[in-house]
């Protein structure tokens, strides 16, 4: 068994078609800087003895505030031209969770997911109630136009032009960029968080895996914490996040064996495209994907530097 690490944090900024030829040096630089800032924000919490839950939220807030990712500012547009946001969090010590879908005005959806987790009455809220409840609970609220960016607007216009059937999703035209984080804190607790705008030109009302505990997010101190990214419908049908945990708990698999099976055997065999980040209770991490790339990075108490990657072969 590998040596136990005191704290460890892993993040992603989405998996999908990230072609080297389409990513300018300037954009790559901006994105990797944001990933590093997110790792720093989460690591600060862990270094100071904070909880894994606070660390994953700090890391995700940082990415939600960046316009380079499909979460918070910079979220994609739905078919109806709105930003409909999703987020979820889960804590491994208590198995408590909070999740929301179709929020339109919460600046940092992951923080309201954490509020739901802490209140412990309701796990999952969707629709108009989300914004009303978030406002009541003191969340920072913004107009839906706060999430606008030219880049996502152009993607949406292109997707609208290309889509022949407007009612249903056409996966070939959809762009991703969801964000997430998983962490182990110095008390040995695990947590996971995920946040997204969903898929470009998605059907208004559609809910993806990011909002669903067990599909896009899962954490259990006995096994691991997981955050997923990819075409949500496949992650929901393969219940990818909880599958990793169950393969470890009931199948006796290691973290790496379980994540490889969940992504490459279950999700990919259904026709899905995406990846996940996961961490176990020893602080080991795993970051498999079956798409063209995945923005991701990790740091732990024994590393001098943050490690950030986009493709298999390139550390950036
Ligand atoms: N999983 C997200 C969704 O289907 C998209 C993504 O990961 O980029 O809504």
């Amino acid at each position: 068994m590998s040596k136990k690490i005191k704290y460890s944090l892993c993040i992603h900024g989405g998996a999908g078609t990230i072609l080297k030829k389409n990513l300018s040096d300037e954009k790559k630089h901006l994105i990797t800087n944001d990933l590093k800032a997110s790792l720093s924000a989460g690591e600060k919490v862990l270094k100071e003895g904070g909880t894994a839950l606070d660390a994953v939220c700090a890391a995700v807030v940082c990415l939600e505030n960046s316009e380079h990712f499909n979460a918070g500012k910079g979220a994609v547009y739905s078919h109806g031209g709105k930003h409909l946001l999703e987020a979820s969090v889960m804590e491994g010590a208590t198995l408590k969770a909070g999740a929301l879908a179709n929020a339109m005005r919460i600046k940092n959806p992951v923080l309201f997911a954490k509020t739901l987790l802490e209140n412990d009455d309701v796990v999952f809220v969707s629709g108009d109630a989300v914004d009303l409840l978030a406002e009541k609970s003191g969340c920072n609220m913004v107009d839906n136009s706060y999430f606008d960016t030219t880049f996502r607007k152009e993607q949406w216009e292109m997707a609208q032009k290309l889509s022949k059937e407007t009612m249903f999703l056409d996966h070939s035209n959809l762009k991703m960029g969801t964000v997430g984080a998983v962490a182990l804190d110095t008390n040995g607790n695990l947590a996971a968080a995920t946040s997204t705008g969903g898929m470009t030109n998605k059907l208004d009302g559609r809910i993806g895996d990011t909002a669903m505990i067990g599909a896009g997010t899962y954490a259990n101190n006995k096994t691991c914490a997981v955050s997923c990214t990819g075409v949500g419908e496949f992650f929901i049908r393969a219940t990818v996040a909880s599958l990793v945990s169950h393969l470890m708990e009931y199948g006796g698999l290691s973290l790496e064996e379980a994540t490889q099976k969940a992504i490459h055997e279950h999700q990919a065999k259904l026709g899905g495209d995406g990846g996940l980040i996961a961490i176990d209770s020893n602080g080991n991490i795993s970051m498999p994907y079956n798409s063209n790339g995945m923005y991701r990075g990790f740091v732990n108490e024994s590393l001098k530097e943050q490690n950030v990657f986009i493709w298999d072969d390139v550390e950036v």
Side-chain angles (χ1 to χ4, degrees):
M1 184 179 287
S2 48
K3 181 177 161 279
K4 190 164 170 62
I5 293 165
K6 262 193 254 151
Y7 71 76
S8 188
L9 171 72
C10 185
I11 59 164
H12 71 78
T17 310
I18 309 170
L19 298 179
K20 288 182 189 171
K21 66 176 171 51
N22 293 344
L23 190 66
S24 68
D25 284 348
E26 194 197 339
K27 185 125 191 220
K28 190 163 87 181
H29 182 70
L30 292 170
I31 287 173
T32 52
N33 273 354
D34 285 346
L35 292 171
K36 287 179 181 171
S38 164
L39 284 170
S40 298
E43 187 180 16
K44 182 169 183 293
V45 175
L46 296 171
K47 245 188 196 159
E48 291 170 358
T51 65
L53 181 64
D54 283 336
V56 292
C57 288
V60 167
V61 161
C62 210
L63 297 173
E64 284 179 339
N65 289 342
S66 159
E67 64 176 38
H68 300 119
F69 301 94
N70 172 18
K73 176 82 185 161
V76 299
Y77 292 77
S78 68
H79 183 70
K82 299 186 206 93
H83 306 283
L84 300 171
L85 310 173
E86 299 178 10
S88 62
V89 294
M90 186 158 179
E91 186 175 66
T94 57
L95 302 188
K96 285 186 185 176
L100 60 99
N102 291 313
M104 287 185 62
R105 294 191 300 113
I106 309 171
K107 183 173 181 233
N108 292 109
V110 74
L111 295 181
F112 186 56
K114 179 170 175 264
T115 302
L116 289 169
L117 177 154
E118 286 163 349
N119 285 342
D120 201 21
D121 288 334
V122 171
V123 170
F124 191 1
V125 197
S126 173
D128 295 344
V130 182
D131 290 319
L132 296 174
L133 287 168
E135 190 155 25
K136 237 181 167 178
S137 76
C139 283
N140 201 347
M141 307 301 287
V142 292
D143 191 84
N144 197 246
S145 61
Y146 158 81
F147 304 107
D148 286 354
T149 53
T150 311
F151 170 63
R152 295 294 182 192
K153 185 107 190 243
E154 285 170 2
Q155 271 185 353
W156 173 65
E157 284 165 355
M158 178 74 76
Q160 290 235 319
K161 236 186 252 164
L162 292 171
S163 92
K164 295 181 197 83
E165 169 57 86
T166 53
M167 265 293 280
F168 298 104
L169 297 168
D170 173 358
H171 294 305
S172 60
N173 301 328
L174 303 171
K175 303 285 183 292
M176 305 170 224
T178 292
V179 307
V182 291
L184 167 74
D185 66 29
T186 51
N187 288 316
N189 291 318
L190 296 172
T194 317
S195 180
T196 192
M199 309 286 280
T200 300
N201 206 29
K202 68 183 179 183
L203 184 71
D204 291 56
R206 175 257 192 193
I207 298 175
D209 62 314
T210 304
M212 292 187 198
I213 297 301
T217 303
Y218 198 74
N220 183 340
N221 273 8
K222 279 191 194 162
T223 54
C224 61
V226 182
S227 169
C228 301
T229 171
V231 180
E233 281 62 23
F234 297 99
F235 282 77
I236 294 170
R237 289 162 59 200
T239 55
V240 171
S242 57
L243 175 63
V244 175
S245 174
H246 299 334
L247 285 170
M248 292 176 74
E249 185 172 3
Y250 304 113
L253 271 59
S254 69
L255 181 79
E256 191 59 30
E257 288 165 347
T259 60
Q260 292 292 340
K261 215 181 225 324
I263 287 297
H264 296 293
E265 291 188 27
H266 290 263
Q267 181 264 157
K269 283 187 182 156
L270 287 177
D273 183 10
L276 62 79
I277 54 168
I279 194 165
D280 69 14
S281 46
N282 286 323
N284 299 309
I285 60 151
S286 177
M287 311 184 287
Y289 59 94
N290 71 324
S291 48
N292 278 333
M294 178 164 83
Y295 298 118
R296 62 203 191 278
F298 65 91
V299 70
N300 65 43
E301 123 274 347
S302 64
L303 289 175
K304 292 212 172 55
E305 279 182 18
Q306 302 165 336
N307 293 271
V308 173
F309 304 85
I310 302 177
W311 301 283
D312 277 350
D313 51 333
V314 192
E315 187 181 335
V316 289

